[in-house]
Amino acid sequence: RNLISQETFKFHFKNLRYAKGRKDTFLCYEVTRKDCDSPVSLHHGVFKNKDNIHAEICFLYWFHDKVLKVLSPREEFKITWYMSWSPCFECAEQVLRFLATHHNLSLDIFSSRLYNIRDPENQQNLCRLVQEGAQVAAMDLYEFKKCWKKFVDNGGRRFRPWKKLLTNFRYQDSKLQEIL
């Protein structure tokens, strides 16, 4: 299983308004098949930026090369991302192209922080992702707990929210709602 350390999670997923020194993006993912009204988990794991390739693109390469070939185009699948940063303009463009060619896939993106939210191109592509059917949302306490349980080498410890997690969630969520 591909897990991240508790320290890595707390540092990179902390939903600060100004996240200095956090240049890497971590993407925790789950791929499920919609099967008889209850999703069936097929794959889950973690990607991070590698060799100047953003985590979203690493996921798309992996998904195309390893997973897509064995999935039935007649079945529906859901991809859920829990990200330390929302997608940048270029990554959102590639995700949009990917979704446009795979109509049996849906994508939910939960981000701890919004990447470069003052940039109009980033704002535009977040809107385009939603217009194309992706769900884009800020991570709230529920998503942080889910990530901690499924993607963090937590040693059996429960998730302990950091100070201002809910305040920072409300800030990230309000900025995202303004954009959308």
Side-chain angles (χ1 to χ4, degrees), residues 38-144:
S38 62
V40 176
S41 182
L42 301 173
H43 301 279
H44 66 275
V46 179
F47 283 98
K48 77 173 251 193
N49 296 1
K50 183 178 178 182
D51 301 327
N52 293 323
I53 300 173
H54 290 186
E56 303 93 307
I57 307 310
C58 292
F59 173 88
L60 294 178
Y61 286 150
W62 167 81
F63 190 81
H64 185 268
D65 291 345
K66 304 285 187 203
V67 179
L68 200 56
K69 295 174 183 177
V70 298
L71 298 181
S72 168
R74 292 183 289 282
E75 290 184 279
E76 291 189 20
F77 300 92
K78 179 179 179 180
I79 300 168
T80 305
W81 289 352
Y82 305 95
M83 301 180 64
S84 56
W85 288 105
S86 63
C88 69
F89 172 77
E90 293 87 2
C91 289
E93 281 284 327
Q94 291 196 39
V95 171
L96 284 162
R97 284 195 292 274
F98 180 79
L99 291 173
T101 59
H102 300 91
H103 299 286
N104 62 330
L105 302 176
S106 65
L107 176 63
D108 291 351
I109 302 171
F110 297 97
S111 300
S112 174
R113 294 179 303 274
L114 297 171
Y115 176 76
N116 203 2
I117 57 171
R118 291 188 180 104
D119 183 334
E121 290 181 321
N122 284 337
Q123 293 178 6
Q124 178 186 23
N125 272 357
L126 287 175
C127 290
R128 286 182 57 211
L129 282 167
V130 170
Q131 289 166 355
E132 293 302 318
Q135 176 184 339
V136 178
M139 287 178 70
D140 66 11
L141 182 59
Y142 175 80
E143 279 85 32
F144 285 112

Side-chain angles (χ1 to χ4, degrees), residues 12-14 32 45 47 60 73 104 112 122 134 152 167 176:
H12 286 282
F13 278 85
K14 198 168 187 179
T32 56
F47 283 98
L60 294 178
N104 62 330
S112 174
N122 284 337
V152 176
T167 301
L176 181 59

